[in-house]
Amino acid sequence: MITLGPTDALLVIDVQNDFCPGGALAVKGGDEIVPLINQLGQRFEHVILTQDWHPAGHISFASSHPGKRPFETIEVDYGTQTLWPDHCVQGTRGADFYPGLNLPHAELILRKGFRREIDSYSAFLEDDHTTSTGLASYLRERGLKRLFLCGLAYDFCVRFSAIDGTAAGFECIVIENATRPVNLAASLEQSHANLQERGISKIQAQEVDTSVQISR
Ligand code: VGL
Ligand code: ZN
């Protein structure tokens, strides 16, 4: 059992319409985790949401690269970029949080991927591995130390947020049954391996102690 305290935060990654069934980049079962995330949120004093937030013509969109199709890859300045269908375009319904997500006490909504020339899977560092989102400094100033990650997608934004969060000095724990993967090529197996290599633990939502009442 894991007992939560005031320096813990729930980091809810990209639970947006476009990543749920019917969306532009639908993750299988993406909507199924929402009730669990809502329940989990009740156990946390501090909840942070991330929102994938791309301008039209974003570098990660296949449509921005003539002749390329979604799920192909290209080489860009910062390495290999997977190309996606247009998704989470700023101000569109697809970029809105999934309507079933009910976390009104979330304290921060962190938007990422808003630079046209850089994708950002991680909530900490954009994909050039240099440009900071500011999240680490925010967490430090707020005295938040341990992060429980959930949301979409396990093998992209959740994985890289956990890796970069760990590198930035935060204890990161992935709540596995409150995530779902895109599952592209070897992304799922690689994600499991990457987390294990770095000693990032995966737990199930039921391992969070629900007997502790939080004050709000
Ligand atoms: C994501 C692909 C593209 C994610 C975001 O949230 O995991 N995946 N943009
Ligand atoms: Zn994206």
Side-chain angles (χ1 to χ4, degrees):
M1 262 311 172
I2 292 168
T3 304
L4 300 176
T7 61
D8 293 329
L10 182 67
L11 185 56
V12 182
I13 305 288
D14 300 357
V15 181
Q16 294 166 259
N17 288 323
D18 271 342
F19 296 123
C20 289
L25 181 36
V27 176
K28 190 164 179 274
D31 55 338
E32 292 167 10
I33 61 175
V34 172
L36 191 56
I37 292 174
N38 290 340
Q39 275 173 33
L40 275 165
Q42 291 302 312
R43 315 314 318 173
F44 284 82
E45 189 173 327
H46 306 291
V47 175
I48 294 168
L49 312 179
T50 69
Q51 195 171 23
D52 210 36
W53 195 250
H54 301 310
H58 191 248
I59 192 168
S60 77
F61 297 170
S63 65
S64 305
H65 307 276
K68 295 289 173 187
R69 284 207 295 262
F71 312 111
E72 292 180 357
T73 58
I74 57 164
E75 294 305 312
V76 297
D77 290 348
Y78 50 80
T80 303
Q81 171 71 53
T82 299
L83 298 176
W84 306 104
D86 291 20
H87 65 279
C88 298
V89 175
Q90 296 171 2
T92 64
R93 211 190 74 86
D96 287 347
F97 290 111
Y98 185 74
L101 190 69
N102 184 22
L103 297 167
H105 62 298
E107 294 169 352
L108 175 71
I109 296 173
L110 182 101
R111 289 173 168 171
K112 60 180 182 61
F114 51 75
R115 282 175 227 278
R116 209 170 66 87
E117 302 304 330
I118 319 178
D119 203 2
S120 188
Y121 296 143
S122 159
F124 289 90
L125 283 182
E126 299 191 27
D127 288 3
D128 61 357
H129 304 297
T130 309
T131 306
S132 170
T133 65
L135 182 58
S137 302
Y138 172 89
L139 294 169
R140 262 181 228 119
E141 280 207 35
R142 301 277 330 271
L144 299 169
K145 296 186 163 62
R146 188 168 64 164
L147 306 176
F148 291 78
L149 289 85
C150 61
L152 303 169
Y154 169 77
D155 44 354
F156 286 90
C157 292
V158 174
R159 163 174 40 160
F160 293 109
S161 296
I163 290 172
D164 289 346
T166 303
F170 301 96
E171 185 186 349
C172 292
I173 298 171
V174 174
I175 308 178
E176 194 173 20
N177 60 343
T179 70
R180 287 292 184 274
V182 173
N183 211 348
L184 205 67
S187 64
L188 188 54
E189 301 77 66
Q190 276 167 6
S191 301
H192 291 318
N194 289 165
L195 298 188
Q196 196 167 20
E197 281 155 17
R198 289 165 176 81
I200 300 169
S201 45
K202 288 183 292 192
I203 62 160
Q204 306 302 314
Q206 310 80 261
E207 293 174 58
V208 174
D209 191 348
T210 55
S211 66
V212 185
Q213 203 51 49
I214 62 167
S215 51
R216 191 178 297 136

